[in-house]
Amino acid sequence: MNEKRVKEAEEVVVAVMPKQDLSWIPNLLKKRVCTTFVEDSFSNGGRCQCGATRDSHPSVALGDNFSTAIVSHWDSIQHSSEQPTDAYGELEFAGSGKRHSYFLRLSSTTVSSVVFDIMRQHWKLGQPNLVVSVVGGEGRSKVKSWVREVLRQGLVKAAQSTGAWIITSGLREGIGKCVGEAVRDHATAVSSVSLNKVVPIGIAPWGMVHNRQQLVDPEGSFPAKYFVQSTSRGTYSLDNNYKAFLLVDDGTEGRKGGEFGFRGRLEDYISRQRPGSASIDIPVLNMLISGEVSMVEALEISLKNSMPWLVLAGSGGLANLVSDIVENVQSDPMCAFGGAEKEEGSPNIELRERITTKVKKHFPSEQDMDKLVDKVLSIYQKKDLISIYHAEGTDDFDTVMLKVLVQASKHRVSMTTNPYVDELKLAVTWNRVDIAKSELFSGNIDWKYEDLEESMTDALENNKPQFVRLFIDNGLNIVNYLTYGRLEGLYDSISKTSQAGMLLQYFLEERINESIDKTCRVSIYEVSLLLEDLLGEVCQPFYKSLLKVDAASTRRKALKRVCKTLKEECSYPQNMCKHPWLCLFLWAVLQNRGEMAILCWEMCGESVLTALGGCKILRELSKLETETDAKLPMKELATKFEFMAHDVFSTCYQTKSSYSYKLLIRKSNLWGDATCLKMAMAADARYFFSHDGVQSLLSQIWWGDMERGTELWKLVLTMIIPPLVYTNLIKFKKAENAEEVKSVMAPPPSATDCNYGETVFSFADIKHHSEGDHEDSNYIRRPTKAGTATSFRPKKFPFWVSRWKQFWYAPVTSFIGNVVTYFLFLFLYAYVLLVDFKPPPPEGPAVSEYVLYFWVFTIVCEEIRETFIVGNKMFCQRLMLYLQDVWNKFDVLAISLFIAGLCCRMFSWSFNMGRGILCMDYMVFTLRLIHIFAIHRQLGPKIIILGKMIKDAFFFLFFLAVWLSAYGVANQALLYQYDPSPDRAFRRVLYRPYLHIFGQIPVEEIDTGKNWDRDCTDNLTLINEGKEPCRDTSHNWLVVILLVIFLLVTNILLVNLLIATFSYTFSKVQERSDTYWKFQRYNLIVEYHSRPTLAPPFIILSHINLLIKRNLRKVPSTKIHRFALQLKGKDANKLVKWETFQKENFLTLESKKQRGTDSERLKRMTAKVDGIIKQVGEIRDVDRRLRALESDMEFCTSSLQWIMEALSQSSTVKSPKSHPTRKAVISASIEK
């Protein structure tokens, strides 16, 4: 029957919880009302045994006199009935100024699961990692000062570190008041409300609450105002430091103990709940402080449910009794073995006598002594669940709590592989790595992989990186731990409200719609799609090979393939992850878990590229995030990863620059053939690009085989007179230097590297590389048709050919050639517009104009090649990538205008329009020079500043337009009553006020007092025909005032605002303009490195050559593999080990810096002081023991001396000294 009631209650909760109105609470929760008046013998018939007066009882309770006469004892279940509760909602303590608390009046027989669901779902109380139930200390007796200190420094501090619920009576008396004050003091010390993890909950009897009628409202109180007053005898006010109150109603008034049954059931229910990602049930610890005799029953019931208890010895009352019998009463050893044979469950007489003695000692005035002794005997039989805490002990309070709960869990679970596993799970749940290090991983326990596996999962899912590091350092092998199935479980545990969680759910819904199975969970396929969307084309897709999905297939085909694969039995979930730390790094970064991601980064290889990858993912996620509170931490963590990549690479560059160059251009097996330069470019890592090592590599690529710093005039002169390349006018790198540079890029001898592996610094190197013509003397293996590799010695070009390629294939040569030809193009364009622009056919165009058309045609061919031919992306992807660049949009605009102007100028009716369009197009082509000169070290940063200022100017123009329109319309309307000409209205409303700013003010027209020698008329007919209207003189004074105000605002206010804005922008951007310029320099170098050698219009020859090579000769392009070095075998392992070594040096240096900070010094000092205090406590304990041992020795010595004297004399002669007593010996030693 009880199980049925619980099930029905849970169904009601599920059905009604989503409702906003709380009308369902009275239907679900009840109160108790006394229905039978049982006379209290001490009240002369005026009061019932329930505590209420006769007048407060309903007539039904007073009607049956016969039944009440034969009842001698009032029982809550039999003599009270349940009615809908009338007190629930929010509670506001008048004058306290604190957040509202929750309260609920409920019957003592209420189902615990219903109340717990209300607390978690409706009241939104945080998930507890621990529940501490404090019992005892009620009443008006004063709590000892050291007990208050234990509550403040021990209990509340431990509760904060673990995230605990503290359950007390919640009343302003005794221990409940002390706990409330301790929680209040702790909340004051915490900087934020969200950081306060302590949740105090009061469970009090309804009949003991003072002013409880203020809480009564059948429709709920939101809030109920509660006035705290000094209470009369028998009732107590609620404490305003508690967050929630459960007011248990058993039908009594002014009677204690009615809540013990419900409180015990609730604690037992909580102890059997396990949160979603936790590895253990919620631990519940009962704490006994002082206490009265009436609490013995609650203690006995709780111990029968195997609930652990922690007793404060010396706090008084029941706590002293329990600590005394647990520590000082020893049971008969034979009772444990043979007692059960005599009578099961009956203790021996001697044990009962000893316990009776202890009970009489602590409670001498107790009337029903036998009943109390029986209950204490029952408690004694469960003493293994009771732990005693001494205030002078050396262990911290939270450590004692941990040991108590572990000891209790060992009694609940009889067989465990390791007796310390439960203690470890508790430490992980509480996030107390300090306890785990000192108590569990001190070297005395042999931990196995199976012992740490479950706790490792708990630490990962609940973001506890310190425990992850601890487990790795103590025997957990991450390779054996992380399988793809477990990785899917980690991704499935991501919060559905986070950005990554929502994206994963979106991809999962797509698969669910495609699949028949509607109970799918997140798989590795959704993770692959998420990473592919965030990383883009920087690297190859992750995890797709596991699902047998082709990376080049469309998403629709891949989805069908995955659904088919997952429907079958897959073997990949049992496979170990190939790169476990990288998998965990990606998982942590997607959740923006900084500490966990940094830990995985430290363990992962290829640290520079991994940090840049994390930066890229976080910045992409921050773009998708709409909440500012979530976006800012992502940006901060992304910046931190960028700085880490910069610092690690700086360490590498300072150690060995040639290896650091390899690091930048190496294809990573870990990140799907991505390179550091490519990842940094995608991640917008400007600070990383500003590093001298990155810029040095780019400069080497830019200059090719020529010496860096070659004068510009030498390059231009050599381009004009090509034979000068064979002179010493331009210096090239020596053979030794060239070989040293090429050794940085030289790939290992493998079949695949011959076409794609070598990283080159110049276009000439690409040519050599693609044709298999290398200038080193090493043997290189080339793949044959059969798939094997054959050795060959590369053909060496003669000097005149190699020198020619060294000059013309350098990116700087291509850049200079494009600049020179572009100036010639602009000169030709200007010549055509100004001098040789002939009429439409058949008279024109002229020959120079036809040359201009051909020149623009070659520019269009190059833009088409750059957009649609280079690369292996889809058409739409290439187009979108092309249009992302602002200067590419300029090119599209310039070409579009040129085509439009060309078409219009060919017809006489649109000739003038076409000429105007071509004139405007000349401006666009000229502005394109800004991008060309972005490579210049001085002009580049200024161009960046200019772009920022243009953005600021748009805001200035907005304010200016507001004033122009306001003044212009008012001025025109005041000067002229009627002027229908649109041309004059436009000029006078907008154009003329704009000229006012620059001092062009027509005073004769504006000021009617001046003579204006212009023909005008007031005739409306003439005005409508276009005649100039005369001025209106009636409001001329207002026109002058408006002019003064307009000039004051525009010339002084707005112009100075613009100047101040420009100054701020300049000073702000100037600090980082060099960083911006270095970042943009990479794009320009890549652009000219990939361009053909010849510049327009001669570039058409290069296009024809490329067309023949690609389509006829089928020679693959090496341009798409620029800036990429493929390392394999020993070379790859050597570079990875070197990078890891440099990362360790960097981390060591950072650790030293961290230890040198003031905060770390203060932490170490605090730890030392705590250690000294602990040692002093141990010394005091040893001193106390030595004193006790000394007293015992003196007692034994005196007794032996008395025995010797007695034996030395005759049996008939008595000893002159009396037998020494222990008390006398101790007092004598104290006097000494």
Side-chain angles (χ1 to χ4, degrees):
M1 185 67 182
N2 191 23
E3 294 178 356
K4 183 178 180 181
R5 180 181 178 184
V6 171
K7 186 176 181 180
E8 291 176 353
E10 291 177 349
E11 292 177 353
V12 171
V13 170
V14 173
V16 300
M17 281 302 289
K19 294 183 180 180
Q20 296 300 322
D21 61 343
L22 301 179
S23 59
W24 52 270
I25 286 185
N27 299 328
L28 179 64
L29 300 174
K30 309 297 180 181
K31 66 177 181 178
R32 281 199 168 271
V33 177
C34 179
T35 56
T36 304
F37 182 85
V38 180
E39 182 179 340
D40 188 357
S41 58
F42 298 99
S43 64
N44 295 325
R47 189 177 296 273
C48 177
Q49 291 186 15
C50 69
T53 60
R54 176 182 292 271
D55 297 335
S56 62
H57 281 71
S59 58
V60 178
L62 303 175
D64 194 356
N65 296 326
F66 177 76
S67 299
T68 57
I70 62 175
V71 176
S72 59
H73 178 69
W74 187 90
D75 183 79
S76 175
I77 303 297
Q78 297 179 2
H79 303 136
S80 65
S81 63
E82 291 185 345
Q83 297 180 6
T85 184
D86 56 1
Y88 59 91
E90 296 180 1
L91 185 62
E92 177 186 0
F93 289 91
S96 64
K98 295 186 177 182
R99 298 175 62 183
H100 295 176
S101 303
Y102 303 102
F103 74 99
L104 178 62
R105 179 184 181 182
L106 54 117
S107 172
S108 58
T109 58
T110 304
V111 180
S112 303
S113 59
V114 176
V115 179
F116 185 72
D117 290 338
I118 292 175
M119 296 168 71
R120 290 284 294 116
Q121 298 179 24
H122 182 66
W123 291 353
K124 304 297 182 183
L125 300 184
Q127 181 69 48
N129 294 323
L130 169 68
V131 176
V132 180
S133 179
V134 184
V135 179
E138 283 80 6
R140 302 185 182 276
S141 58
K142 188 176 181 181
V143 180
K144 298 180 180 179
S145 59
W146 67 268
V147 175
R148 294 175 180 269
E149 194 65 23
V150 168
L151 294 175
R152 180 178 288 103
Q153 299 295 333
L155 175 61
V156 177
K157 179 183 176 183
Q160 168 66 16
S161 63
T162 58
W165 288 2
I166 300 180
I167 299 178
T168 69
S169 64
L171 302 176
R172 290 181 61 84
E173 54 94 18
I175 294 299
K177 182 180 179 180
C178 294
V179 171
E181 292 174 349
V183 171
R184 177 198 62 197
D185 296 341
H186 169 76
T188 304
V190 175
S191 58
S192 174
V193 177
S194 60
L195 298 178
N196 187 9
K197 301 178 181 179
V198 182
V199 180
I201 299 173
I203 301 181
W206 169 260
M208 292 289 295
V209 177
H210 183 66
N211 288 340
R212 55 184 175 273
Q213 294 303 321
Q214 298 176 2
L215 310 178
V216 175
D217 188 346
E219 297 181 357
S221 302
F222 303 96
K225 279 201 172 184
Y226 184 78
F227 294 89
V228 179
Q229 300 175 352
S230 55
T231 60
S232 59
R233 187 174 183 84
T235 58
Y236 303 93
S237 297
L238 297 176
D239 196 306
N240 59 359
N241 296 306
Y242 285 76
K243 196 168 186 178
F245 296 93
L246 298 176
L247 307 178
V248 182
D249 188 3
D250 64 342
T252 63
E253 293 185 11
R255 300 285 191 270
K256 295 182 179 180
E259 79 282 6
F260 286 154
F262 169 79
R263 182 170 174 175
R265 292 195 307 273
L266 178 62
E267 293 166 358
D268 181 64
Y269 176 80
I270 295 176
S271 67
R272 289 183 280 107
Q273 303 305 305
R274 177 172 297 191
S277 59
S279 58
I280 60 171
D281 296 337
I282 300 175
V284 178
L285 174 65
N286 291 276
M287 188 174 175
L288 178 61
I289 303 175
S290 184
E292 302 173 354
V293 179
S294 59
M295 298 177 184
V296 174
E297 185 176 358
L299 178 60
E300 180 187 9
I301 295 173
S302 179
L303 289 173
K304 288 181 179 179
N305 293 330
S306 299
M307 303 294 291
W309 281 79
L310 180 63
V311 180
L312 256 66
S315 59
L318 184 59
N320 288 354
L321 171 62
V322 175
S323 61
D324 193 5
I325 63 172
V326 170
E327 291 183 332
N328 299 325
V329 175
Q330 300 294 330
S331 60
D332 189 357
M334 294 301 296
C335 178
F337 297 98
E341 299 177 0
K342 298 178 182 179
E343 185 178 355
E344 184 179 357
S346 62
N348 58 14
I349 299 176
E350 185 177 352
L351 175 62
R352 183 181 179 86
E353 290 179 353
R354 288 199 291 267
I355 290 179
T356 302
T357 304
K358 297 292 183 181
V359 172
K360 290 182 178 179
K361 174 183 176 183
H362 292 279
F363 296 101
S365 59
E366 180 63 26
Q367 298 179 356
D368 196 352
M369 187 63 66
D370 293 337
K371 185 177 180 180
L372 179 59
V373 170
D374 291 338
K375 292 181 179 179
V376 173
L377 270 172
S378 177
I379 293 172
Y380 180 80
Q381 291 174 353
K382 294 284 186 178
K383 69 175 183 178
D384 293 337
L385 294 172
I386 301 175
S387 300
I388 309 302
Y389 176 76
H390 295 277
E392 65 274 8
T394 57
D395 291 336
D396 294 333
F397 191 80
D398 45 8
T399 306
V400 173
M401 292 170 59
L402 178 66
K403 292 180 178 179
V404 171
L405 291 170
V406 170
Q407 184 180 0
S409 64
K410 291 177 182 177
H411 287 88
R412 287 190 173 189
V413 183
S414 57
M415 295 295 293
T416 57
T417 57
N418 190 330
Y420 299 98
V421 171
D422 293 330
E423 189 171 355
L424 176 61
K425 290 179 180 179
L426 281 174
V428 174
T429 303
W430 295 359
N431 198 20
R432 293 304 303 271
V433 70
D434 53 340
I435 295 178
K437 286 181 179 179
S438 60
E439 301 292 333
L440 302 175
F441 293 95
S442 57
N444 300 325
I445 304 173
D446 183 19
W447 291 100
K448 298 180 180 179
Y449 169 77
E450 295 79 9
D451 302 333
L452 303 177
E453 187 177 8
E454 189 175 358
S455 296
M456 178 69 169
T457 304
D458 190 3
L460 285 171
E461 292 182 351
N462 294 286
N463 193 23
K464 298 170 182 177
Q466 293 179 334
F467 274 100
V468 175
R469 187 187 298 274
L470 186 65
F471 296 151
I472 295 300
D473 295 340
N474 288 273
L476 188 137
N477 189 352
I478 193 65
V479 178
N480 296 330
Y481 168 79
L482 192 64
T483 61
Y484 287 108
R486 185 163 279 153
L487 182 63
E488 287 181 341
L490 291 176
Y491 275 104
D492 194 55
S493 67
I494 295 179
S495 174
K496 305 301 184 292
T497 59
S498 64
Q499 188 63 43
M502 290 188 291
L503 293 173
L504 288 173
Q505 290 301 311
Y506 171 76
F507 295 132
L508 180 60
E509 289 176 2
E510 287 185 349
R511 182 163 64 88
I512 291 175
N513 295 333
E514 183 70 23
S515 175
I516 302 175
D517 186 11
K518 302 301 181 182
T519 59
C520 302
R521 73 167 191 168
V522 174
S523 69
I524 213 73
Y525 173 70
E526 285 77 36
V527 180
S528 176
L529 291 180
L530 175 58
L531 293 176
E532 185 177 358
D533 284 357
L534 295 177
L535 293 173
E537 299 292 333
V538 179
C539 58
Q540 297 177 2
F542 283 85
Y543 307 129
K544 281 195 173 181
S545 59
L546 295 173
L547 300 169
K548 302 177 183 178
V549 176
D550 187 8
S553 62
T554 61
R555 182 166 292 189
R556 183 70 178 175
K557 293 181 179 179
L559 182 59
K560 291 183 178 180
R561 177 66 179 172
V562 167
C563 292
K564 183 178 178 181
T565 304
L566 294 178
K567 192 181 300 182
E568 303 169 355
E569 291 186 3
C570 303
S571 59
Y572 79 88
Q574 288 75 35
N575 297 339
M576 299 177 184
C577 291
K578 189 176 180 181
H579 306 292
W581 283 117
L582 177 62
C583 296
L584 291 177
F585 173 79
L586 295 173
W587 171 77
V589 166
L590 288 172
Q591 299 179 85
N592 195 28
R593 293 182 173 180
E595 293 185 14
M596 185 70 74
I598 291 175
L599 169 63
C600 298
W601 173 80
E602 293 176 0
M603 300 293 183
C604 188
E606 302 184 9
S607 55
V608 177
L609 181 56
T610 302
L612 291 173
C615 176
K616 164 69 174 173
I617 293 173
L618 286 167
R619 282 179 175 161
E620 292 297 328
L621 282 175
S622 65
K623 295 176 184 177
L624 300 174
E625 186 63 58
T626 56
E627 298 292 336
T628 306
D629 293 339
K631 181 181 292 187
L632 289 179
M634 288 182 182
K635 290 183 177 180
E636 291 174 359
L637 185 57
T639 304
K640 187 173 185 179
F641 274 123
E642 182 182 354
F643 276 69
M644 288 164 59
H646 176 277
D647 294 342
V648 173
F649 179 75
S650 179
T651 305
C652 297
Y653 184 70
Q654 293 172 4
T655 305
K656 198 169 185 179
S657 59
S658 59
Y659 273 37
S660 65
Y661 295 153
K662 286 185 180 182
L663 206 62
L664 292 174
I665 55 182
R666 170 203 55 194
K667 282 187 176 181
S668 169
N669 294 327
L670 207 64
W671 282 85
D673 290 343
T675 64
C676 288
L677 286 180
K678 194 174 181 181
M679 186 67 77
M681 181 65 195
D684 196 24
R686 301 177 181 179
Y687 181 68
F688 180 80
F689 267 104
S690 66
H691 192 275
D692 293 339
V694 179
Q695 293 301 311
S696 177
L697 175 63
L698 295 179
S699 296
Q700 290 187 28
I701 297 174
W702 179 250
W703 288 98
D705 292 333
M706 290 184 288
E707 291 289 344
R708 295 172 57 181
T710 303
E711 288 82 354
L712 179 63
W713 66 269
K714 293 181 180 180
L715 294 174
V716 176
L717 184 61
T718 306
M719 294 178 66
I720 297 174
I721 310 175
L724 291 177
V725 74
Y726 301 109
T727 65
N728 291 327
L729 181 65
I730 297 178
K731 294 183 180 180
F732 292 85
K733 296 175 182 176
K734 296 181 180 179
E736 306 84 48
N737 295 338
E739 291 178 2
E740 181 181 354
V741 170
K742 287 180 181 290
S743 67
V744 176
M745 339 280 254
S750 65
T752 58
D753 296 337
C754 291
N755 289 330
Y756 306 104
E758 186 176 359
T759 303
V760 292
F761 288 97
S762 66
F763 191 63
D765 291 333
I766 293 182
K767 287 287 185 181
H768 296 166
H769 176 64
S770 61
E771 297 171 5
D773 298 329
H774 303 275
E775 297 186 8
D776 56 356
S777 59
N778 298 329
Y779 284 93
I780 299 179
R781 301 181 63 83
R782 168 174 285 183
T784 63
K785 293 182 179 179
T788 60
T790 59
S791 301
F792 75 98
R793 186 179 297 275
K795 179 182 176 182
K796 192 170 184 179
F797 287 102
F799 170 76
W800 65 274
V801 176
S802 61
R803 178 57 58 88
W804 182 268
K805 292 185 176 182
Q806 284 178 335
F807 175 76
W808 286 104
Y809 293 160
V812 64
T813 307
S814 177
F815 171 75
I816 297 298
N818 277 273
V819 172
V820 173
T821 56
Y822 198 78
F823 273 108
L824 293 176
F825 165 74
L826 293 178
F827 175 79
L828 176 62
Y829 200 160
Y831 174 79
V832 169
L833 291 176
L834 298 175
V835 178
D836 205 12
F837 199 79
K838 297 294 179 80
E843 290 83 0
V847 176
S848 59
E849 193 170 351
Y850 278 116
V851 174
L852 178 65
Y853 296 162
F854 176 74
W855 204 316
V856 173
F857 171 74
T858 60
I859 294 176
V860 173
C861 292
E862 173 58 21
E863 294 298 325
I864 294 174
R865 184 202 68 83
E866 181 182 348
T867 307
F868 303 114
I869 297 178
V870 177
N872 53 3
K873 299 178 182 178
M874 302 295 292
F875 175 82
C876 296
Q877 293 177 341
R878 294 176 183 176
L879 185 61
M880 293 300 295
L881 184 63
Y882 175 81
L883 293 177
Q884 286 179 1
D885 190 356
V886 177
W887 295 110
N888 287 338
K889 296 177 182 177
F890 256 83
D891 292 338
V892 172
L893 177 62
I895 293 171
S896 301
L897 289 176
F898 190 87
I899 294 173
L902 174 61
C903 295
C904 291
R905 68 97 55 223
M906 292 298 177
F907 304 97
S908 58
W909 60 271
S910 60
F911 175 77
N912 291 328
M913 182 189 300
R915 190 173 187 278
I917 294 175
L918 290 175
C919 292
M920 295 299 299
D921 190 37
Y922 180 80
M923 293 181 60
V924 179
F925 273 113
T926 307
L927 290 174
R928 190 68 170 77
L929 284 173
I930 296 177
H931 175 57
I932 294 177
F933 287 104
I935 193 68
H936 197 270
R937 190 172 188 87
Q938 280 73 36
L939 291 178
K942 300 302 182 292
I943 292 173
I944 297 172
I945 296 175
L946 179 62
K948 299 287 185 181
M949 288 184 174
I950 290 175
K951 294 181 181 180
D952 294 334
F954 279 110
F955 295 101
F956 167 77
L957 291 176
F958 168 76
F959 292 112
L960 182 61
V962 172
W963 276 99
L964 280 176
S965 60
Y967 168 74
V969 172
N971 181 68
Q972 174 69 7
L974 292 173
L975 278 176
Y976 300 96
Q977 293 183 352
Y978 178 71
D979 189 1
S981 174
D983 179 62
R984 286 197 299 265
F986 174 78
R987 290 176 178 273
R988 291 170 178 172
V989 169
L990 296 178
Y991 181 61
R992 187 173 63 186
Y994 180 73
L995 296 178
H996 289 356
I997 302 175
F998 303 98
Q1000 297 186 16
I1001 304 174
V1003 181
E1004 294 83 2
E1005 181 181 358
I1006 294 176
D1007 190 358
T1008 57
K1010 301 285 185 179
N1011 292 326
W1012 189 32
D1013 54 349
R1014 190 167 183 178
D1015 294 335
C1016 62
T1017 181
D1018 293 327
N1019 192 334
L1020 296 179
T1021 304
L1022 296 177
I1023 292 175
N1024 289 328
E1025 292 176 356
K1027 190 73 174 177
E1028 177 76 23
C1030 292
R1031 297 171 297 174
D1032 182 15
T1033 60
S1034 59
H1035 298 89
N1036 188 250
W1037 61 274
L1038 187 56
V1039 172
V1040 175
I1041 294 175
L1042 290 179
L1043 175 63
V1044 173
I1045 296 175
F1046 174 73
L1047 294 177
L1048 177 67
V1049 172
T1050 54
N1051 286 24
I1052 297 179
L1053 186 63
L1054 291 182
V1055 173
N1056 281 280
L1057 176 63
L1058 181 64
I1059 294 173
T1061 305
F1062 282 171
S1063 300
Y1064 172 76
T1065 302
F1066 182 85
S1067 60
K1068 182 180 178 181
V1069 179
Q1070 181 67 23
E1071 299 174 357
R1072 296 183 295 176
S1073 60
D1074 187 64
T1075 302
Y1076 293 156
W1077 169 75
K1078 290 178 180 178
F1079 180 72
Q1080 291 185 351
R1081 181 171 177 252
Y1082 170 78
N1083 292 328
L1084 200 64
I1085 292 175
V1086 169
E1087 178 183 349
Y1088 284 98
H1089 185 276
S1090 62
R1091 279 195 174 191
T1093 307
L1094 300 177
F1098 309 107
I1099 199 173
I1100 193 66
L1101 301 176
S1102 298
H1103 291 161
I1104 296 173
N1105 180 37
L1106 290 174
L1107 184 65
I1108 295 173
K1109 288 177 64 176
R1110 301 292 174 264
N1111 296 327
L1112 299 180
R1113 297 176 57 192
K1114 303 297 183 183
V1115 177
S1117 174
T1118 55
K1119 291 287 186 176
I1120 59 176
H1121 302 284
R1122 61 184 179 271
F1123 306 107
L1125 172 63
Q1126 185 73 43
L1127 291 179
K1128 292 185 178 180
K1130 294 182 179 179
D1131 291 339
N1133 293 334
K1134 184 177 180 181
L1135 185 61
V1136 170
K1137 290 180 180 178
W1138 178 78
E1139 182 185 7
T1140 304
F1141 179 72
Q1142 301 306 322
K1143 178 188 67 176
E1144 296 296 333
N1145 291 340
F1146 164 74
L1147 293 176
T1148 302
L1149 183 62
E1150 289 296 314
S1151 178
K1152 289 182 180 179
K1153 291 180 180 178
Q1154 184 67 20
R1155 289 197 299 269
T1157 58
D1158 295 338
S1159 60
E1160 290 297 322
R1161 290 177 180 175
L1162 185 61
K1163 287 182 180 178
R1164 291 197 298 271
M1165 183 65 68
T1166 303
K1168 291 179 180 179
V1169 171
D1170 291 340
I1172 293 173
I1173 293 175
K1174 195 171 184 178
Q1175 291 178 359
V1176 169
E1178 293 176 353
I1179 292 172
R1180 289 178 179 176
D1181 186 48
V1182 171
D1183 181 67
R1184 182 178 58 82
R1185 293 179 181 179
L1186 288 176
R1187 289 180 181 273
L1189 182 61
E1190 183 180 1
S1191 300
D1192 292 339
M1193 291 295 297
E1194 291 183 1
F1195 171 74
C1196 294
T1197 303
S1198 302
S1199 299
L1200 289 174
Q1201 185 177 1
W1202 179 84
I1203 293 172
M1204 292 175 62
E1205 291 179 356
L1207 292 176
S1208 63
Q1209 297 179 4
S1210 172
S1211 59
T1212 57
V1213 181
K1214 295 183 178 179
S1215 175
K1217 295 182 179 180
S1218 60
H1219 187 284
T1221 61
R1222 181 181 180 88
K1223 184 175 181 182
V1225 172
I1226 293 176
S1227 60
S1229 63
I1230 292 175
E1231 291 178 358
K1232 291 180 181 180

